[in-house]
mmCIF file of all heavy atoms in Angstrom:
data_model
loop_
_atom_site.group_PDB
_atom_site.id
_atom_site.type_symbol
_atom_site.label_atom_id
_atom_site.label_comp_id
_atom_site.label_asym_id
_atom_site.label_seq_id
_atom_site.Cartn_x
_atom_site.Cartn_y
_atom_site.Cartn_z
ATOM 1 N N GLY A 1 6.610 -8.734 7.685
ATOM 2 C CA GLY A 1 7.696 -9.711 7.710
ATOM 3 C C GLY A 1 7.213 -11.096 7.339
ATOM 4 O O GLY A 1 6.607 -11.305 6.299
ATOM 5 N N TYR A 2 7.423 -12.023 8.230
ATOM 6 C CA TYR A 2 7.123 -13.429 7.982
ATOM 7 C C TYR A 2 5.619 -13.668 7.840
ATOM 8 O O TYR A 2 4.819 -13.079 8.559
ATOM 9 C CB TYR A 2 7.652 -14.281 9.146
ATOM 10 C CG TYR A 2 7.358 -15.741 8.950
ATOM 11 C CD1 TYR A 2 8.134 -16.503 8.096
ATOM 12 C CD2 TYR A 2 6.277 -16.333 9.565
ATOM 13 C CE1 TYR A 2 7.842 -17.827 7.867
ATOM 14 C CE2 TYR A 2 5.975 -17.665 9.361
ATOM 15 C CZ TYR A 2 6.767 -18.406 8.500
ATOM 16 O OH TYR A 2 6.460 -19.713 8.273
ATOM 17 N N GLU A 3 5.266 -14.561 6.907
ATOM 18 C CA GLU A 3 3.879 -15.018 6.811
ATOM 19 C C GLU A 3 3.849 -16.429 6.240
ATOM 20 O O GLU A 3 4.435 -16.701 5.199
ATOM 21 C CB GLU A 3 3.035 -14.101 5.935
ATOM 22 C CG GLU A 3 1.572 -14.506 5.953
ATOM 23 C CD GLU A 3 0.645 -13.486 5.309
ATOM 24 O OE1 GLU A 3 1.077 -12.365 5.039
ATOM 25 O OE2 GLU A 3 -0.521 -13.839 5.096
ATOM 26 N N ALA A 4 3.163 -17.320 6.952
ATOM 27 C CA ALA A 4 3.002 -18.699 6.489
ATOM 28 C C ALA A 4 2.153 -18.721 5.224
ATOM 29 O O ALA A 4 1.292 -17.863 5.025
ATOM 30 C CB ALA A 4 2.333 -19.538 7.573
ATOM 31 N N GLN A 5 2.385 -19.700 4.398
ATOM 32 C CA GLN A 5 1.555 -19.898 3.211
ATOM 33 C C GLN A 5 0.244 -20.542 3.640
ATOM 34 O O GLN A 5 0.191 -21.237 4.644
ATOM 35 C CB GLN A 5 2.268 -20.801 2.208
ATOM 36 C CG GLN A 5 3.553 -20.219 1.669
ATOM 37 C CD GLN A 5 4.259 -21.203 0.739
ATOM 38 O OE1 GLN A 5 3.912 -22.371 0.627
ATOM 39 N NE2 GLN A 5 5.272 -20.714 0.058
ATOM 40 N N GLY A 6 -0.800 -20.305 2.871
ATOM 41 C CA GLY A 6 -2.082 -20.950 3.142
ATOM 42 C C GLY A 6 -3.086 -20.023 3.801
ATOM 43 O O GLY A 6 -2.768 -18.900 4.191
ATOM 44 N N ASP A 7 -4.306 -20.512 3.905
ATOM 45 C CA ASP A 7 -5.418 -19.724 4.435
ATOM 46 C C ASP A 7 -5.606 -19.939 5.925
ATOM 47 O O ASP A 7 -5.547 -21.070 6.424
ATOM 48 C CB ASP A 7 -6.722 -20.097 3.713
ATOM 49 C CG ASP A 7 -6.671 -19.741 2.234
ATOM 50 O OD1 ASP A 7 -6.027 -18.732 1.885
ATOM 51 O OD2 ASP A 7 -7.281 -20.471 1.443
ATOM 52 N N TRP A 8 -5.861 -18.850 6.635
ATOM 53 C CA TRP A 8 -6.140 -18.904 8.064
ATOM 54 C C TRP A 8 -7.534 -19.476 8.272
ATOM 55 O O TRP A 8 -8.402 -19.377 7.398
ATOM 56 C CB TRP A 8 -6.062 -17.512 8.652
ATOM 57 C CG TRP A 8 -4.718 -16.862 8.581
ATOM 58 C CD1 TRP A 8 -3.561 -17.385 8.061
ATOM 59 C CD2 TRP A 8 -4.376 -15.560 9.038
ATOM 60 N NE1 TRP A 8 -2.535 -16.484 8.182
ATOM 61 C CE2 TRP A 8 -3.011 -15.353 8.779
ATOM 62 C CE3 TRP A 8 -5.098 -14.546 9.652
ATOM 63 C CZ2 TRP A 8 -2.350 -14.177 9.107
ATOM 64 C CZ3 TRP A 8 -4.437 -13.377 9.982
ATOM 65 C CH2 TRP A 8 -3.080 -13.206 9.725
ATOM 66 N N PRO A 9 -7.803 -20.035 9.448
ATOM 67 C CA PRO A 9 -9.156 -20.537 9.736
ATOM 68 C C PRO A 9 -10.180 -19.400 9.681
ATOM 69 O O PRO A 9 -9.857 -18.243 9.964
ATOM 70 C CB PRO A 9 -9.046 -21.075 11.169
ATOM 71 C CG PRO A 9 -7.601 -21.143 11.486
ATOM 72 C CD PRO A 9 -6.891 -20.219 10.569
ATOM 73 N N GLN A 10 -11.397 -19.742 9.322
ATOM 74 C CA GLN A 10 -12.506 -18.785 9.295
ATOM 75 C C GLN A 10 -13.389 -19.041 10.516
ATOM 76 O O GLN A 10 -13.742 -20.185 10.802
ATOM 77 C CB GLN A 10 -13.323 -18.959 8.009
ATOM 78 C CG GLN A 10 -12.519 -18.683 6.749
ATOM 79 C CD GLN A 10 -12.057 -17.238 6.688
ATOM 80 O OE1 GLN A 10 -12.859 -16.325 6.801
ATOM 81 N NE2 GLN A 10 -10.760 -17.035 6.529
ATOM 82 N N PHE A 11 -13.735 -17.973 11.219
ATOM 83 C CA PHE A 11 -14.491 -18.083 12.461
ATOM 84 C C PHE A 11 -15.876 -17.460 12.317
ATOM 85 O O PHE A 11 -16.023 -16.396 11.724
ATOM 86 C CB PHE A 11 -13.747 -17.360 13.592
ATOM 87 C CG PHE A 11 -12.418 -17.969 13.928
ATOM 88 C CD1 PHE A 11 -11.270 -17.603 13.240
ATOM 89 C CD2 PHE A 11 -12.310 -18.911 14.935
ATOM 90 C CE1 PHE A 11 -10.038 -18.165 13.541
ATOM 91 C CE2 PHE A 11 -11.086 -19.482 15.252
ATOM 92 C CZ PHE A 11 -9.946 -19.106 14.553
ATOM 93 N N LYS A 12 -16.868 -18.109 12.920
ATOM 94 C CA LYS A 12 -18.197 -17.505 13.070
ATOM 95 C C LYS A 12 -18.117 -16.540 14.248
ATOM 96 O O LYS A 12 -17.214 -16.642 15.085
ATOM 97 C CB LYS A 12 -19.238 -18.590 13.362
ATOM 98 C CG LYS A 12 -19.424 -19.592 12.246
ATOM 99 C CD LYS A 12 -20.400 -20.662 12.679
ATOM 100 C CE LYS A 12 -20.505 -21.748 11.611
ATOM 101 N NZ LYS A 12 -21.334 -22.866 12.063
ATOM 102 N N ASP A 13 -19.060 -15.632 14.340
ATOM 103 C CA ASP A 13 -19.078 -14.680 15.460
ATOM 104 C C ASP A 13 -19.041 -15.386 16.816
ATOM 105 O O ASP A 13 -18.375 -14.923 17.745
ATOM 106 C CB ASP A 13 -20.306 -13.767 15.388
ATOM 107 C CG ASP A 13 -20.212 -12.752 14.250
ATOM 108 O OD1 ASP A 13 -19.105 -12.555 13.691
ATOM 109 O OD2 ASP A 13 -21.251 -12.148 13.925
ATOM 110 N N SER A 14 -19.746 -16.511 16.918
ATOM 111 C CA SER A 14 -19.801 -17.242 18.191
ATOM 112 C C SER A 14 -18.480 -17.940 18.532
ATOM 113 O O SER A 14 -18.297 -18.408 19.653
ATOM 114 C CB SER A 14 -20.922 -18.286 18.147
ATOM 115 O OG SER A 14 -20.643 -19.257 17.147
ATOM 116 N N GLN A 15 -17.561 -18.002 17.574
ATOM 117 C CA GLN A 15 -16.272 -18.664 17.773
ATOM 118 C C GLN A 15 -15.126 -17.660 17.912
ATOM 119 O O GLN A 15 -13.969 -18.049 17.950
ATOM 120 C CB GLN A 15 -15.959 -19.579 16.583
ATOM 121 C CG GLN A 15 -16.958 -20.693 16.381
ATOM 122 C CD GLN A 15 -16.744 -21.393 15.055
ATOM 123 O OE1 GLN A 15 -16.608 -20.766 14.002
ATOM 124 N NE2 GLN A 15 -16.706 -22.715 15.101
ATOM 125 N N TRP A 16 -15.435 -16.368 17.977
ATOM 126 C CA TRP A 16 -14.414 -15.324 17.936
ATOM 127 C C TRP A 16 -14.602 -14.345 19.085
ATOM 128 O O TRP A 16 -15.712 -13.914 19.375
ATOM 129 C CB TRP A 16 -14.511 -14.587 16.610
ATOM 130 C CG TRP A 16 -13.360 -13.676 16.327
ATOM 131 C CD1 TRP A 16 -13.414 -12.312 16.257
ATOM 132 C CD2 TRP A 16 -12.008 -14.023 16.048
ATOM 133 N NE1 TRP A 16 -12.172 -11.800 15.962
ATOM 134 C CE2 TRP A 16 -11.281 -12.840 15.824
ATOM 135 C CE3 TRP A 16 -11.324 -15.237 15.973
ATOM 136 C CZ2 TRP A 16 -9.917 -12.826 15.531
ATOM 137 C CZ3 TRP A 16 -9.971 -15.232 15.679
ATOM 138 C CH2 TRP A 16 -9.287 -14.044 15.457
ATOM 139 N N VAL A 17 -13.509 -13.973 19.743
ATOM 140 C CA VAL A 17 -13.537 -12.972 20.804
ATOM 141 C C VAL A 17 -12.843 -11.725 20.264
ATOM 142 O O VAL A 17 -11.624 -11.708 20.110
ATOM 143 C CB VAL A 17 -12.811 -13.471 22.078
ATOM 144 C CG1 VAL A 17 -12.810 -12.384 23.147
ATOM 145 C CG2 VAL A 17 -13.434 -14.760 22.590
ATOM 146 N N PRO A 18 -13.617 -10.686 19.919
ATOM 147 C CA PRO A 18 -12.992 -9.472 19.393
ATOM 148 C C PRO A 18 -12.323 -8.676 20.520
ATOM 149 O O PRO A 18 -12.882 -8.562 21.608
ATOM 150 C CB PRO A 18 -14.157 -8.691 18.784
ATOM 151 C CG PRO A 18 -15.382 -9.208 19.477
ATOM 152 C CD PRO A 18 -15.074 -10.607 19.925
ATOM 153 N N VAL A 19 -11.117 -8.170 20.247
ATOM 154 C CA VAL A 19 -10.407 -7.357 21.241
ATOM 155 C C VAL A 19 -9.888 -6.051 20.657
ATOM 156 O O VAL A 19 -9.504 -5.159 21.384
ATOM 157 C CB VAL A 19 -9.232 -8.130 21.903
ATOM 158 C CG1 VAL A 19 -9.740 -9.295 22.713
ATOM 159 C CG2 VAL A 19 -8.229 -8.582 20.881
ATOM 160 N N ASN A 20 -9.902 -5.956 19.338
ATOM 161 C CA ASN A 20 -9.378 -4.768 18.669
ATOM 162 C C ASN A 20 -10.145 -4.617 17.352
ATOM 163 O O ASN A 20 -9.635 -4.989 16.311
ATOM 164 C CB ASN A 20 -7.872 -4.921 18.437
ATOM 165 C CG ASN A 20 -7.242 -3.721 17.763
ATOM 166 O OD1 ASN A 20 -7.821 -2.640 17.725
ATOM 167 N ND2 ASN A 20 -6.059 -3.920 17.212
ATOM 168 N N GLY A 21 -11.358 -4.115 17.445
ATOM 169 C CA GLY A 21 -12.196 -4.064 16.243
ATOM 170 C C GLY A 21 -12.551 -5.478 15.827
ATOM 171 O O GLY A 21 -13.088 -6.258 16.617
ATOM 172 N N SER A 22 -12.223 -5.845 14.605
ATOM 173 C CA SER A 22 -12.504 -7.197 14.131
ATOM 174 C C SER A 22 -11.392 -8.181 14.493
ATOM 175 O O SER A 22 -11.506 -9.372 14.239
ATOM 176 C CB SER A 22 -12.696 -7.187 12.610
ATOM 177 O OG SER A 22 -11.497 -6.776 11.971
ATOM 178 N N HIS A 23 -10.328 -7.700 15.089
ATOM 179 C CA HIS A 23 -9.213 -8.562 15.477
ATOM 180 C C HIS A 23 -9.445 -9.124 16.867
ATOM 181 O O HIS A 23 -10.127 -8.520 17.693
ATOM 182 C CB HIS A 23 -7.895 -7.785 15.405
ATOM 183 C CG HIS A 23 -7.578 -7.365 14.010
ATOM 184 N ND1 HIS A 23 -8.031 -6.184 13.492
ATOM 185 C CD2 HIS A 23 -6.908 -7.997 13.030
ATOM 186 C CE1 HIS A 23 -7.635 -6.097 12.238
ATOM 187 N NE2 HIS A 23 -6.954 -7.191 11.933
ATOM 188 N N GLY A 24 -8.872 -10.298 17.125
ATOM 189 C CA GLY A 24 -9.058 -10.939 18.408
ATOM 190 C C GLY A 24 -8.508 -12.340 18.403
ATOM 191 O O GLY A 24 -7.438 -12.589 17.854
ATOM 192 N N TYR A 25 -9.295 -13.284 18.967
ATOM 193 C CA TYR A 25 -8.820 -14.663 19.031
ATOM 194 C C TYR A 25 -9.983 -15.642 19.022
ATOM 195 O O TYR A 25 -11.123 -15.290 19.302
ATOM 196 C CB TYR A 25 -7.934 -14.884 20.256
ATOM 197 C CG TYR A 25 -8.627 -14.678 21.580
ATOM 198 C CD1 TYR A 25 -9.249 -15.739 22.226
ATOM 199 C CD2 TYR A 25 -8.651 -13.435 22.198
ATOM 200 C CE1 TYR A 25 -9.871 -15.561 23.453
ATOM 201 C CE2 TYR A 25 -9.268 -13.247 23.427
ATOM 202 C CZ TYR A 25 -9.872 -14.316 24.044
ATOM 203 O OH TYR A 25 -10.496 -14.147 25.254
ATOM 204 N N GLY A 26 -9.638 -16.894 18.686
ATOM 205 C CA GLY A 26 -10.602 -17.975 18.682
ATOM 206 C C GLY A 26 -9.874 -19.295 18.852
ATOM 207 O O GLY A 26 -8.640 -19.345 18.881
ATOM 208 N N CYS A 27 -10.618 -20.341 18.955
ATOM 209 C CA CYS A 27 -10.073 -21.685 19.131
ATOM 210 C C CYS A 27 -10.055 -22.366 17.762
ATOM 211 O O CYS A 27 -11.032 -22.288 17.010
ATOM 212 C CB CYS A 27 -10.954 -22.456 20.107
ATOM 213 S SG CYS A 27 -10.310 -24.067 20.597
ATOM 214 N N ALA A 28 -8.925 -23.025 17.440
ATOM 215 C CA ALA A 28 -8.816 -23.634 16.116
ATOM 216 C C ALA A 28 -7.855 -24.808 16.111
ATOM 217 O O ALA A 28 -6.986 -24.925 16.981
ATOM 218 C CB ALA A 28 -8.348 -22.596 15.103
ATOM 219 N N CYS A 29 -8.017 -25.643 15.110
ATOM 220 C CA CYS A 29 -7.040 -26.677 14.789
ATOM 221 C C CYS A 29 -6.503 -26.359 13.394
ATOM 222 O O CYS A 29 -7.272 -26.018 12.489
ATOM 223 C CB CYS A 29 -7.668 -28.068 14.783
ATOM 224 S SG CYS A 29 -8.030 -28.690 16.431
ATOM 225 N N ILE A 30 -5.201 -26.443 13.268
ATOM 226 C CA ILE A 30 -4.547 -26.155 11.997
ATOM 227 C C ILE A 30 -3.708 -27.359 11.605
ATOM 228 O O ILE A 30 -2.882 -27.819 12.396
ATOM 229 C CB ILE A 30 -3.647 -24.902 12.112
ATOM 230 C CG1 ILE A 30 -4.495 -23.664 12.394
ATOM 231 C CG2 ILE A 30 -2.811 -24.719 10.854
ATOM 232 C CD1 ILE A 30 -3.681 -22.413 12.652
ATOM 233 N N LYS A 31 -3.939 -27.860 10.394
ATOM 234 C CA LYS A 31 -3.077 -28.902 9.826
ATOM 235 C C LYS A 31 -2.035 -28.152 9.018
ATOM 236 O O LYS A 31 -2.382 -27.399 8.099
ATOM 237 C CB LYS A 31 -3.876 -29.864 8.952
ATOM 238 C CG LYS A 31 -3.020 -30.994 8.399
ATOM 239 C CD LYS A 31 -3.860 -31.977 7.611
ATOM 240 C CE LYS A 31 -2.991 -33.094 7.079
ATOM 241 N NZ LYS A 31 -3.793 -34.045 6.283
ATOM 242 N N ALA A 32 -0.757 -28.334 9.371
ATOM 243 C CA ALA A 32 0.281 -27.518 8.761
ATOM 244 C C ALA A 32 1.637 -28.212 8.756
ATOM 245 O O ALA A 32 1.881 -29.131 9.535
ATOM 246 C CB ALA A 32 0.410 -26.204 9.525
ATOM 247 N N VAL A 33 2.487 -27.713 7.897
ATOM 248 C CA VAL A 33 3.903 -28.044 7.944
ATOM 249 C C VAL A 33 4.517 -26.987 8.847
ATOM 250 O O VAL A 33 4.225 -25.793 8.697
ATOM 251 C CB VAL A 33 4.543 -28.011 6.535
ATOM 252 C CG1 VAL A 33 6.047 -28.213 6.619
ATOM 253 C CG2 VAL A 33 3.901 -29.065 5.639
ATOM 254 N N VAL A 34 5.327 -27.415 9.815
ATOM 255 C CA VAL A 34 5.906 -26.485 10.777
ATOM 256 C C VAL A 34 7.427 -26.571 10.762
ATOM 257 O O VAL A 34 8.007 -27.561 10.323
ATOM 258 C CB VAL A 34 5.392 -26.759 12.213
ATOM 259 C CG1 VAL A 34 3.867 -26.710 12.266
ATOM 260 C CG2 VAL A 34 5.908 -28.074 12.759
ATOM 261 N N ASN A 35 8.048 -25.526 11.265
ATOM 262 C CA ASN A 35 9.471 -25.530 11.560
ATOM 263 C C ASN A 35 9.547 -25.508 13.081
ATOM 264 O O ASN A 35 9.385 -24.460 13.706
ATOM 265 C CB ASN A 35 10.155 -24.303 10.948
ATOM 266 C CG ASN A 35 11.654 -24.285 11.215
ATOM 267 O OD1 ASN A 35 12.129 -24.745 12.248
ATOM 268 N ND2 ASN A 35 12.401 -23.748 10.270
ATOM 269 N N ALA A 36 9.742 -26.687 13.686
ATOM 270 C CA ALA A 36 9.708 -26.812 15.136
ATOM 271 C C ALA A 36 10.853 -26.049 15.796
ATOM 272 O O ALA A 36 10.678 -25.514 16.889
ATOM 273 C CB ALA A 36 9.750 -28.282 15.536
ATOM 274 N N LYS A 37 11.983 -25.990 15.148
ATOM 275 C CA LYS A 37 13.134 -25.287 15.719
ATOM 276 C C LYS A 37 12.843 -23.794 15.886
ATOM 277 O O LYS A 37 13.189 -23.186 16.878
ATOM 278 C CB LYS A 37 14.352 -25.482 14.815
ATOM 279 C CG LYS A 37 15.631 -24.914 15.359
ATOM 280 C CD LYS A 37 16.799 -25.236 14.441
ATOM 281 C CE LYS A 37 18.085 -24.650 14.984
ATOM 282 N NZ LYS A 37 19.213 -24.941 14.102
ATOM 283 N N LYS A 38 12.159 -23.211 14.911
ATOM 284 C CA LYS A 38 11.824 -21.785 14.947
ATOM 285 C C LYS A 38 10.432 -21.520 15.514
ATOM 286 O O LYS A 38 10.032 -20.369 15.638
ATOM 287 C CB LYS A 38 11.906 -21.182 13.541
ATOM 288 C CG LYS A 38 13.303 -21.134 12.974
ATOM 289 C CD LYS A 38 13.295 -20.462 11.616
ATOM 290 C CE LYS A 38 14.683 -20.320 11.048
ATOM 291 N NZ LYS A 38 14.668 -19.608 9.761
ATOM 292 N N MET A 39 9.676 -22.578 15.819
ATOM 293 C CA MET A 39 8.289 -22.460 16.296
ATOM 294 C C MET A 39 7.460 -21.632 15.304
ATOM 295 O O MET A 39 6.767 -20.689 15.679
ATOM 296 C CB MET A 39 8.222 -21.852 17.699
ATOM 297 C CG MET A 39 8.815 -22.721 18.794
ATOM 298 S SD MET A 39 7.886 -24.218 19.147
ATOM 299 C CE MET A 39 6.460 -23.576 19.995
ATOM 300 N N GLN A 40 7.565 -21.993 14.022
ATOM 301 C CA GLN A 40 6.823 -21.301 12.959
ATOM 302 C C GLN A 40 5.928 -22.270 12.222
ATOM 303 O O GLN A 40 6.300 -23.407 11.972
ATOM 304 C CB GLN A 40 7.782 -20.688 11.932
ATOM 305 C CG GLN A 40 8.518 -19.481 12.389
ATOM 306 C CD GLN A 40 9.411 -18.929 11.286
ATOM 307 O OE1 GLN A 40 9.919 -19.650 10.442
ATOM 308 N NE2 GLN A 40 9.604 -17.630 11.306
ATOM 309 N N ILE A 41 4.751 -21.781 11.870
ATOM 310 C CA ILE A 41 3.888 -22.480 10.928
ATOM 311 C C ILE A 41 4.418 -22.083 9.558
ATOM 312 O O ILE A 41 4.489 -20.896 9.241
ATOM 313 C CB ILE A 41 2.408 -22.040 11.081
ATOM 314 C CG1 ILE A 41 1.903 -22.248 12.513
ATOM 315 C CG2 ILE A 41 1.532 -22.717 10.051
ATOM 316 C CD1 ILE A 41 1.728 -23.673 12.951
ATOM 317 N N VAL A 42 4.828 -23.047 8.758
ATOM 318 C CA VAL A 42 5.411 -22.765 7.448
ATOM 319 C C VAL A 42 4.331 -22.699 6.382
ATOM 320 O O VAL A 42 4.290 -21.775 5.581
ATOM 321 C CB VAL A 42 6.469 -23.837 7.079
ATOM 322 C CG1 VAL A 42 7.011 -23.619 5.676
ATOM 323 C CG2 VAL A 42 7.599 -23.825 8.096
ATOM 324 N N SER A 43 3.457 -23.694 6.401
ATOM 325 C CA SER A 43 2.414 -23.791 5.380
ATOM 326 C C SER A 43 1.154 -24.395 5.990
ATOM 327 O O SER A 43 1.199 -25.501 6.540
ATOM 328 C CB SER A 43 2.921 -24.673 4.233
ATOM 329 O OG SER A 43 1.935 -24.840 3.258
ATOM 330 N N ILE A 44 0.044 -23.662 5.902
ATOM 331 C CA ILE A 44 -1.231 -24.149 6.421
ATOM 332 C C ILE A 44 -1.932 -24.950 5.329
ATOM 333 O O ILE A 44 -2.201 -24.436 4.250
ATOM 334 C CB ILE A 44 -2.126 -22.978 6.874
ATOM 335 C CG1 ILE A 44 -1.443 -22.205 8.005
ATOM 336 C CG2 ILE A 44 -3.502 -23.485 7.302
ATOM 337 C CD1 ILE A 44 -2.135 -20.914 8.367
ATOM 338 N N ILE A 45 -2.206 -26.194 5.631
ATOM 339 C CA ILE A 45 -2.918 -27.069 4.692
ATOM 340 C C ILE A 45 -4.418 -26.881 4.866
ATOM 341 O O ILE A 45 -5.161 -26.775 3.911
ATOM 342 C CB ILE A 45 -2.491 -28.532 4.895
ATOM 343 C CG1 ILE A 45 -0.991 -28.657 4.569
ATOM 344 C CG2 ILE A 45 -3.332 -29.475 4.053
ATOM 345 C CD1 ILE A 45 -0.354 -29.919 5.061
ATOM 346 N N SER A 46 -4.846 -26.828 6.130
ATOM 347 C CA SER A 46 -6.253 -26.560 6.437
ATOM 348 C C SER A 46 -6.350 -26.018 7.855
ATOM 349 O O SER A 46 -5.469 -26.251 8.677
ATOM 350 C CB SER A 46 -7.109 -27.826 6.292
ATOM 351 O OG SER A 46 -6.706 -28.816 7.228
ATOM 352 N N GLY A 47 -7.406 -25.287 8.095
ATOM 353 C CA GLY A 47 -7.639 -24.741 9.430
ATOM 354 C C GLY A 47 -9.118 -24.758 9.734
ATOM 355 O O GLY A 47 -9.933 -24.370 8.893
ATOM 356 N N ASN A 48 -9.471 -25.233 10.909
ATOM 357 C CA ASN A 48 -10.872 -25.331 11.306
ATOM 358 C C ASN A 48 -11.101 -24.638 12.638
ATOM 359 O O ASN A 48 -10.414 -24.947 13.622
ATOM 360 C CB ASN A 48 -11.293 -26.801 11.436
ATOM 361 C CG ASN A 48 -11.158 -27.540 10.126
ATOM 362 O OD1 ASN A 48 -11.671 -27.103 9.113
ATOM 363 N ND2 ASN A 48 -10.436 -28.649 10.146
#
C-alpha cells in the first residue's frame, strides 16, 4: 500500500535491534515533508 518517497535511514549493527531476521528497530532522525492530519511521512529528504 502506502509508501513515502525517499530513502530510509541506514543503520549500523550497533544502532539496530533485530526482532525478525534483519527486521527490527533503531533510533533515527528524519527530515521529511509530512501530512500531520494523516500522521504520514510523505517524502523523506534525509534520514540519520
Side-chain angles (χ1 to χ4, degrees):
Y2 179 79
E3 186 169 348
Q5 297 177 350
D7 296 327
W8 296 359
Q10 298 296 306
F11 296 86
K12 296 176 185 174
D13 289 345
S14 64
Q15 298 169 312
W16 191 247
V17 178
V19 295
N20 181 17
S22 63
H23 296 88
Y25 63 91
C27 187
C29 286
I30 295 174
K31 183 176 180 181
V33 174
V34 304
N35 181 327
K37 185 176 179 181
K38 293 183 177 183
M39 293 291 287
Q40 287 182 329
I41 304 290
V42 176
S43 178
I44 298 171
I45 297 165
S46 63
N48 299 308

